[in-house]
Amino acid sequence: MKEKTYLYNTLTRQVELFEPNTEGKVTMYTCGPTVYHFAHIGNLRSYIMEDVLEKYLRFAGYDVKRVMNITDVGHLSSDGDTGEDKMLAGAKREHKSVMDIAKFYTDAFFEDCRKLSIKRPDVVEPATNCIDEFIHMIEVLMEKGYAYEAGDNVYFDTSKLDDYYVLSAQKEEELQVGVREDVEEDTNKRNKTDFVLWFTKSKFENQELKWDSPWGVGYPGWHIECSSISIKHLGEYLDLHCGGVDNIFPHHTNEIAQSEAFLGHKWCKYWFHINHLNTTGGKMSKSKGEFLTVSLLEEKGYDPMVYRLFCLQSHYRKPLEFSYEALDNAAAAYEKLIKRLRAVPEDGEVDKEKLDEYNSRFAQAVGNDMNTSMGLTVLFDLLKEDCSGATKREAVKSMDSVLSLQLARAWEQDDQTSGAGVSGADAELTAYVEQKIAERAAAKKEKDFARADAIRDELKEKGVLIRDTREGVQWEMV
Ligand code: AMP
Ligand code: ZN
């Protein structure tokens, strides 16, 4: 692909030409989920946009290796290294062990990813797999004079760096510890921005996961895992690092500090950050306890592809406000798109020149700092184009290798789109179920989700399971 890729780089605060360290190859690191709860659709906005970025880079001809960690230890409830380990809090909440919680929510995360057509990264590494590597990194930081022991913990000394704030452009006075409600002061720290590399004498009761270390039995701080796992799998020079904007400070700032101190040179070239999904109540967050999940959207009758489209319609650097009204608009747009695709005949030959032209227009649009909504415009332009159905179908498949909206499904045969002939159901039951399905659709249209859910439950009690698909509601007897 001849088209160049431009990306906004948080490090330089401008849109830049993307040029990886090795021509044609990209090393990409993604901060993975903290697996103490389900991922909310805000988290998943970040993973959808990172997925589009990875797929776009492959589309543009790069050979991409992508690594993601799973945070299953050391992420405390406060960014100031105080509070409780989130994993331990999750385990307590559900009366299970930390490892059970980690397994359950890691599986749930990848199930959500599957539903949203998010590709699994090439390497997925839980933090608890790499404790020896973390200890090695901390030992080197101690030897080099970047780390110190205090109050039985090991800290990174941020005063040893010339430019600790390289990424975040935070003003020191904005970081007054204790100003934010959830940040208590840790008096062991020499500088307020110092951060924990290793907790040795845990002051948190019943810390379940602990390992031996040169500083005693303990567990790692949160930030060390991403530096260590990235260097382990992607080497000393990283091309691209991603995460949500809340990761910029302190997480990514601290990752840069410890990685560059450890390596003795610059580490990551491009930093890609996705802005938040908000509700009218503000940023969606797991710790608030109430949040929206993919399963919840499905229960309300939304296809996960509708949420993916909703995300792709807006730019990743802008905050995105979630509402059911906005999601309904995305659902209508998705339905319209599928209908228009269905109308594309399977005729004629593929016009290679036209195909290249559209692939190139699409690459230019998305390659301009991931302008996915412009990419969707190119897709709609294609559908209006005067060319063979075969050319259109080929170009749609090509664009969908990046968008991943499961567009080819529009042309797949689906003969189970109604309940007619469902095994185990007689004519009377079929008529009853179809009546209820119509009532439920009306309730949803009125946004009476409680009524819609009640109808679903009523059917379930009668042994009828209904599923919302883009072909309409399907049902079966269980
Ligand atoms: P966590 O599981 O909390 O470690 O977060 C996983 C990813 O989701 C990180 O990249 C966060 O920056 C990102 N994230 C957290 N909240 C939101 C949100 N409301 N909108 C978009 N991304 C988010
Ligand atoms: Zn990270």
Side-chain angles (χ1 to χ4, degrees), residues 31 226 251 255:
C31 288
C226 290
H251 185 49
E255 279 189 43

Side-chain angles (χ1 to χ4, degrees), residues 40-42 277-279 282-286 288 291-292 322:
H40 58 62
I41 60 170
L277 179 84
N278 299 313
T279 53
K283 171 184 176 279
M284 196 170 292
S285 106
K286 279 191 235 185
K288 284 187 197 160
F291 51 81
L292 293 170
F322 178 84

Side-chain angles (χ1 to χ4, degrees), residues 151-196:
D152 298 315
N153 293 328
V154 182
Y155 294 88
F156 186 94
D157 186 346
T158 53
S159 70
K160 293 277 161 37
L161 302 176
D162 293 337
D163 190 5
Y164 169 65
Y165 299 101
V166 61
L167 189 63
S168 53
Q170 292 266 359
K171 302 218 170 51
E172 234 167 288
E173 53 283 12
E174 286 172 13
L175 298 170
Q176 290 282 338
V177 180
V179 169
R180 266 178 44 195
E181 230 177 281
D182 58 340
V183 181
E184 300 154 37
E185 195 169 0
D186 177 345
T187 50
N188 296 317
K189 293 183 182 182
R190 289 183 193 160
N191 313 288
K192 61 178 178 254
T193 49
D194 290 356
F195 55 92
V196 174

Side-chain angles (χ1 to χ4, degrees), residues 30-47 50 69 71 75 86 109 222 242-248 251-252 273-279 282-287 307 320:
T30 297
C31 288
T34 310
V35 283
Y36 71 111
H37 221 317
F38 291 109
H40 58 62
I41 60 170
N43 300 128
L44 290 160
R45 177 191 191 195
S46 287
Y47 294 110
E50 291 164 4
N69 64 306
T71 300
H75 192 175
K86 292 185 178 190
F109 171 72
W222 171 36
C242 331
V245 285
D246 58 308
N247 281 164
I248 297 175
H251 185 49
H252 290 165
H273 289 109
I274 301 100
N275 215 318
H276 282 149
L277 179 84
N278 299 313
T279 53
K283 171 184 176 279
M284 196 170 292
S285 106
K286 279 191 235 185
S287 52
Y307 182 63
L320 179 58

Side-chain angles (χ1 to χ4, degrees), residues 101-120:
I101 291 283
K103 165 134 191 26
F104 180 82
Y105 288 113
T106 302
D107 291 348
F109 171 72
F110 284 114
E111 178 58 13
D112 286 343
C113 289
R114 189 192 60 73
K115 287 177 180 169
L116 290 164
S117 301
I118 297 171
K119 177 185 165 292
R120 192 183 168 97

